[in-house]
Amino acid sequence: QKEVEQDPGPLSVPEGAIVSLNCTYSNSAFQYFMWYRQYSRKGPELLMYTYSSGNKEDGRFTAQVDKSSKYISLFIRDSQPSDSATYLCAIQGAQKLVFGQGTRLTINP
Amino acid sequence: DSGVTQTPKHLITATGQRVTLRCSPRSGDLSVYWYQQSLDQGLQFLIHYYNGEERAKGNILERFSAQQFPDLHSELNLSSLELGDSALYFCASSVASGQRSTDTQYFGPGTRLTVL
């Protein structure tokens, strides 16, 4: 079993839609959770990180963590074509980041 | 631009060969991480150096090795290359040792390796 599971998609939605991206993880010791965005032919860039269960908002983006279910989510409101990218969840393990497979998202104008 | 530089951008070589990938971290960052990204495996952690010392190893093959030099740049050496080594190789850097969540890792643009 992979430490972090993420549906690779692809996911295609119309502009303005609410997007929900999800990951599950197996190790309950994980405490820090991140979302990275990766545009084509670029390196990943940190979008958001959270520590505790609950929600964290940053503009149109909301990160949600449910430690009891070992489930993390990223919501994008009012999605824009510029949000088209691959989104990777990442979890801080012992001395390393463990990444999900990444979900390729396309926002259609 | 993350401030992390990687060279070369692209590398095409043959099976059995050896290549060296180079990474310069952001100014002031002491940690360097190497990752491999392939379509089937996703982004996999390879190795972490902090201020010249190896700190953690991930799924790094014995044919691969890395080092971090006194000026903090790092090199990833890949030898006896196989077709399956074709992938994107990313370097990331952070300020501290990487044990805290707030040690944000900043990724470089990557080196695309193609083994023919």
Side-chain angles (χ1 to χ4, degrees):
Chain A
Q1 183 189 9
K2 286 187 177 180
E3 289 183 283
V4 181
E5 300 271 4
Q6 182 178 9
D7 185 342
L11 184 60
S12 182
V13 301
E15 183 176 354
I18 296 174
V19 176
S20 172
L21 304 168
N22 310 294
C23 289
T24 58
Y25 61 96
S26 57
N27 190 340
S28 57
F30 289 147
Q31 296 186 58
Y32 303 101
F33 310 92
M34 295 143 204
W35 285 94
Y36 279 79
R37 178 175 60 195
Q38 185 177 18
Y39 290 114
S40 180
R41 301 185 182 278
K42 301 284 188 184
E45 57 177 334
L46 181 66
L47 201 54
M48 296 183 73
Y49 85 88
T50 56
Y51 167 66
S52 57
S53 281
N55 295 350
K56 181 177 181 179
E57 241 182 75
D58 185 1
R60 296 183 295 108
F61 297 88
T62 299
Q64 189 174 78
V65 175
D66 182 348
K67 286 188 177 180
S68 62
S69 302
K70 300 196 194 77
Y71 195 84
I72 63 173
S73 302
L74 178 71
F75 298 97
I76 307 174
R77 290 185 302 281
D78 187 25
S79 55
Q80 304 293 311
S82 58
D83 295 328
S84 297
T86 296
Y87 290 79
L88 303 108
C89 61
I91 299 177
Q92 180 73 47
Q95 294 279 4
K96 65 176 184 178
L97 278 181
V98 181
F99 283 87
Q101 186 79 358
T103 300
R104 180 174 291 181
L105 173 67
T106 301
I107 310 296
N108 301 303
Chain B
D1 185 358
S2 67
V4 179
T5 60
Q6 288 187 250
T7 56
K9 285 186 179 179
H10 303 279
L11 202 48
I12 301 175
T13 188
T15 55
Q17 295 298 304
R18 172 190 169 95
V19 297
T20 297
L21 312 183
R22 184 188 168 103
C23 168
S24 292
R26 294 187 324 151
S27 176
D29 284 1
L30 298 178
S31 271
V32 168
Y33 309 79
W34 285 98
Y35 293 86
Q36 179 192 60
Q37 187 175 42
S38 58
L39 281 173
D40 56 341
Q41 293 291 322
L43 196 60
Q44 298 282 314
F45 167 71
L46 295 178
I47 198 163
H48 168 208
Y49 276 84
Y50 174 72
N51 204 20
E53 292 186 4
E54 182 186 301
R55 275 300 177 98
K57 268 188 176 180
N59 302 322
I60 188 166
L61 299 172
E62 283 191 14
R63 300 183 285 108
F64 296 1
S65 65
Q67 54 183 329
Q68 187 180 26
F69 295 87
D71 67 354
L72 300 176
H73 90 271
S74 178
E75 293 181 354
L76 179 67
N77 300 296
L78 315 176
S79 61
S80 303
L81 285 167
E82 301 175 0
L83 296 178
D85 297 327
S86 296
L88 270 168
Y89 290 84
F90 286 104
C91 160
S93 74
S94 71
V95 171
S97 61
Q99 288 187 299
R100 294 162 40 208
S101 70
T102 50
D103 290 337
T104 300
Q105 292 187 25
Y106 295 88
F107 282 76
T111 293
R112 183 175 294 276
L113 174 66
T114 302
V115 182
L116 301 175

